[in-house]
Amino acid sequence: MIALGRQVCGDLAAASAREWLVTDGLGGYAMGTVSGLRTRRYHGLLVVAEPGGSARRLGLAAIEPVVRIGDRTVRLATDEWAGGSVDPAGHRHLAEFRIDEGVPRWRWDLGDVVVQREIAMAHGRAAAGVLFTVVRAPHEITLELTPLCTWRDAHGERTAYGEPAVAAAADGFVFEDAYRVTGPGWRPGGDWYHGVYAREEAARGLNAVEDLWAAGRFEAGLASGGTAEITAAATPFDGALPAAAGLVAAARKRARKLVRQAGVRDPAGRQLAIAADQFVVDTPAGPAAVAGYPWFGEWSRDLMTSFEGLFLSTNRHADARAVLLRAGATVSEGMLANTADTGTLEYNTADGALWFVHAIGRYAAVTGDLDTVHALAGPVVEILTRHRDGTRFGIAADPADGLLSQGKPGFALTWMDARVDGRPVTERRGKAVELNALWISALASAAELLGSAEFAAYADRAAASFRRRFVRPYGAGLFDVVDGPAGDDPAVRPNQLLAVSLPHAPIRDAAPVSACAPLLTSLGLRSLAPSEPAYRGVHRGGPAERDAAYHQGTVWPWLIGPYADACARLGLPTAGLLDGLELHLAEWGLGSVSETAEGDAPHAATGCPFQAWSVAELLRARRLLAA
């Protein structure tokens, strides 16, 4: 599915803009670019996660390969330094890059010598394997491999101070008691690589320079067909570490199993099934999902929005059940904790719990497992009752019309939650359109699943109020927010699609879909129409600039799911709707779908290169439109 030749691999800009990812099923990962250039502070071969991925530490940053062919020396790494120099420039020798059953593979063409590298991680353990193979050589060559090391928070940098603690271990070393690296012919050394530069961090307005410790080198003499294996593993690492070749073989075997389980046969479907697995993580409390790589951990809103695509569209029903039961046990005052990425649990989302009820309904529809639904009846009733009567942040149903209102000054509680200098960009206080679509659908779903006449009546009342309050005249679609501090907001946003797309949607005509026509792109939907005064078509620059554009025109691929639902429900044409996103699998975060893209054409990808709900909704939409 993913294969790049010399014209991309040898072009530093093109090859460095394409990233690869492998994960350990715990929230940790290995990640980098096709060129081998570390363009982000987050790139490395061993990034270790705390449970759920809420915090990560970067360990083994890179392995620098050098090939000696007689008197000839070829450096295969690609490094950039503060000041702008690129040295070495091994990408010039890179003839091929592939992702083969989820395993990234490079081949350097050195004339009559071809060297290959493959990278994989253990599943369920913070361990990575790097396998070098001499594909072709007329005689023995020497391969030297220098590990570049650090141990720091993944969101930061580390600069040289003293010498790090490096202890000898069998076939390698232990770095600062945090992780162990093993391989052939270990020769201890030690030197700082000063001024390593990450160009993507500079583009994001962040610190871009750090120092890395070259701990020594591994060395092997290899003939054609020979291999050299490097394994890095975080604590505990007693005994022999798993062989890199075994990790690569196991990763491919797991990928084949995931594809079979998902029941997909086409190349895009196979790749998406593997991509979905990258977000699913095991935690001490059960399975969950990381929202995106490289910087997000678990977010309940993202998890529940992604639920159907990640778990049901891939036939992972046992995991789906466990996710729901785990979430149900965490309900507090009718809400789900949104994230622990800031270090503490935060109950700051007005829609996460409603997406949870939606996920339960979809689980029941797909699996028929009503026993699990009944086990979750208590949390569902608590969610709906507290939302009706009132809970945190002013979330409550208006007694006058049954519609859900929310908001507190200084907070952004919907999915459009960006802030600049602590102030929300799109506060959306009042009765937001997608929240009320979710509210009505949740009430109706609970009424069906639990046999509640009370919820059914409340759903009918809220739906009637919705049609009376949100529908704009002359077929102009729906208001984005009604009864807000400034009155009703007619801004053209994609949120109105949920009023047509959800299983118990209150709207059954095409006006919202037609209104969203200016939002549609080949990579998803813009978050605001270009005709709106607040529209921003560029999503780049420093944190404040990017956050100001985040929901003001930036394209979101996940919204293709609600758009596809609405079109399918109304019988509107969908030919070619997903083609751009399927092509996107080979454009940026390779084999996956980005978090966002710029509103202005050509819609350059932005945000996380690997985003859970983007992958999940493409998976779900493909299955929906193929039915």
Side-chain angles (χ1 to χ4, degrees):
M1 180 61 188
I2 309 298
L4 304 172
R6 194 144 210 166
Q7 298 308 302
V8 171
C9 295
D11 182 324
L12 184 61
S16 298
R18 291 166 168 85
E19 297 174 77
W20 57 269
L21 172 75
V22 294
T23 60
D24 63 9
L26 300 172
Y29 63 84
M31 181 181 175
T33 70
V34 168
S35 69
L37 182 66
R38 293 179 63 251
T39 62
R40 299 184 190 271
R41 62 175 66 167
Y42 303 93
H43 285 164
L45 300 179
L46 183 68
V47 180
V48 183
E50 292 183 3
S54 60
R56 300 182 178 93
R57 294 190 70 82
L58 178 68
L60 181 62
I63 293 174
E64 305 266 293
V66 174
V67 176
R68 300 194 185 278
I69 309 167
D71 295 334
R72 182 185 174 204
T73 299
V74 185
R75 299 157 72 199
L76 302 183
T78 301
D79 296 320
E80 188 166 14
W81 308 93
S85 65
V86 175
D87 178 53
H91 66 283
R92 295 175 179 173
H93 303 289
L94 190 57
E96 176 186 317
F97 175 87
R98 291 179 182 269
I99 295 181
D100 179 15
E101 294 178 322
V103 175
R105 188 187 86 187
W106 295 257
R107 281 188 175 179
W108 290 273
D109 182 351
L110 309 178
D112 58 353
V113 173
V114 175
V115 177
Q116 174 178 288
R117 178 178 66 184
E118 297 166 287
I119 296 175
M121 296 197 83
H123 187 77
R125 180 180 180 182
V130 185
L131 175 64
F132 289 89
T133 303
V134 178
V135 176
R136 185 177 73 243
H139 47 73
E140 184 175 278
I141 66 170
T142 299
L143 184 63
E144 296 177 358
L145 305 167
T146 299
L148 301 185
C149 302
T150 188
W151 186 241
R152 60 160 172 83
D153 186 280
H155 297 298
E157 298 79 29
R158 176 173 172 175
T159 54
Y161 50 89
E163 290 192 5
V166 180
D171 301 320
F173 64 95
V174 174
F175 192 87
E176 298 191 339
D177 294 324
Y179 59 95
R180 179 180 165 196
V181 184
T182 63
W186 172 242
R187 299 186 179 186
D191 195 12
W192 283 107
Y193 278 34
H194 294 279
V196 180
Y197 183 75
R199 58 174 61 181
E200 196 60 32
E201 300 308 319
R204 297 174 65 231
L206 302 172
N207 183 38
V209 181
E210 68 173 329
D211 303 326
L212 298 173
W213 181 257
R217 75 172 188 264
F218 298 99
E219 185 174 308
L222 302 174
S224 186
T227 61
E229 304 181 43
I230 305 291
T231 301
T235 55
F237 41 67
D238 295 335
L241 299 187
L247 292 177
V248 169
R252 288 205 175 100
K253 182 178 180 181
R254 178 175 177 80
R256 291 193 292 271
K257 176 184 175 183
L258 292 166
V259 168
R260 287 195 302 271
Q261 184 175 3
V264 288
R265 292 180 173 81
D266 65 295
R270 291 196 297 268
Q271 186 58 57
L272 284 166
I274 296 167
D277 182 62
Q278 294 179 323
F279 302 102
V280 179
V281 296
D282 292 323
T283 76
V290 166
Y293 294 97
W295 46 75
F296 291 139
E298 179 187 349
W299 292 60
S300 66
R301 173 194 290 126
D302 295 59
L303 172 60
M304 294 307 159
T305 308
S306 304
F307 176 85
E308 185 172 358
L310 293 186
F311 298 102
L312 301 182
S313 295
T314 57
N315 297 320
R316 300 176 67 147
H317 297 164
D319 285 341
R321 177 179 183 274
V323 165
L324 294 178
L325 292 173
R326 174 178 178 260
T330 68
V331 172
S332 167
E333 299 181 36
M335 298 177 70
L336 294 184
N338 192 25
T339 180
D341 275 9
T342 58
T344 58
L345 283 177
E346 294 187 356
Y347 289 85
N348 60 357
T349 165
D351 52 1
L354 300 177
W355 276 114
F356 171 57
V357 178
H358 170 76
I360 294 170
R362 298 308 302 143
Y363 174 80
V366 171
T367 68
D369 177 11
L370 296 182
D371 289 340
T372 297
V373 172
H374 291 146
L376 292 165
V380 169
V381 170
E382 180 183 344
I383 288 167
L384 298 180
T385 302
R386 289 304 300 261
H387 278 65
R388 181 193 64 198
D389 298 340
T391 184
R392 301 175 178 95
F393 300 109
I395 299 170
D398 185 338
D401 56 19
L403 293 175
L404 194 67
S405 187
Q406 59 82 36
K408 181 178 179 181
F411 286 84
L413 304 175
T414 73
W415 78 276
M416 293 184 163
D417 57 1
R419 291 165 169 247
V420 174
D421 297 328
R423 295 188 296 273
V425 179
T426 50
E427 191 175 54
R428 303 182 72 227
R429 272 195 292 159
K431 299 168 182 174
V433 64
E434 83 281 9
L435 290 185
N436 277 282
L438 283 163
W439 168 236
I440 292 162
S441 192
L443 287 165
S445 181
E448 286 185 355
L449 293 172
L450 306 181
S452 170
E454 179 187 6
F455 288 152
Y458 212 97
D460 289 342
R461 178 174 178 240
S465 297
F466 186 100
R467 289 186 286 270
R468 185 172 62 252
R469 288 293 292 113
F470 279 95
V471 176
R472 297 176 62 191
Y474 312 114
L478 306 178
F479 286 106
D480 188 58
V481 178
V482 300
D483 295 342
D488 298 345
D489 183 3
V492 179
R493 295 188 181 275
N495 304 307
Q496 61 189 297
L497 288 171
L498 271 71
V500 186
S501 67
L502 290 169
H504 300 279
I507 300 294
R508 295 287 175 170
D509 66 58
V513 180
S514 299
C516 287
L519 308 179
L520 184 64
T521 77
S522 60
L523 291 183
L525 279 85
R526 295 180 176 95
S527 44
L528 185 67
S531 59
E532 297 285 347
Y535 173 79
R536 294 200 180 192
V538 175
H539 183 218
R540 65 184 74 168
E545 294 169 287
R546 286 181 280 112
D547 286 344
Y550 209 32
H551 300 107
Q552 298 289 71
T554 297
V555 172
W556 290 77
W558 81 267
L559 292 165
I560 206 68
Y563 187 87
D565 279 324
C567 290
R569 177 161 293 155
L570 298 170
L572 300 175
T574 57
L577 179 63
L578 307 179
D579 290 356
L581 283 167
E582 292 182 6
L583 291 170
H584 184 58
L585 297 176
E587 289 183 327
W588 203 48
L590 296 178
S592 195
V593 185
S594 62
E595 178 189 11
T596 51
E598 292 193 323
D600 289 349
H603 310 301
T606 63
C608 278
F610 307 88
Q611 188 76 4
W613 60 9
S614 301
V615 168
E617 285 297 272
L618 178 55
L619 261 167
R620 191 181 66 79
R622 292 180 91 248
R623 177 163 287 198
L624 168 73
L625 299 184

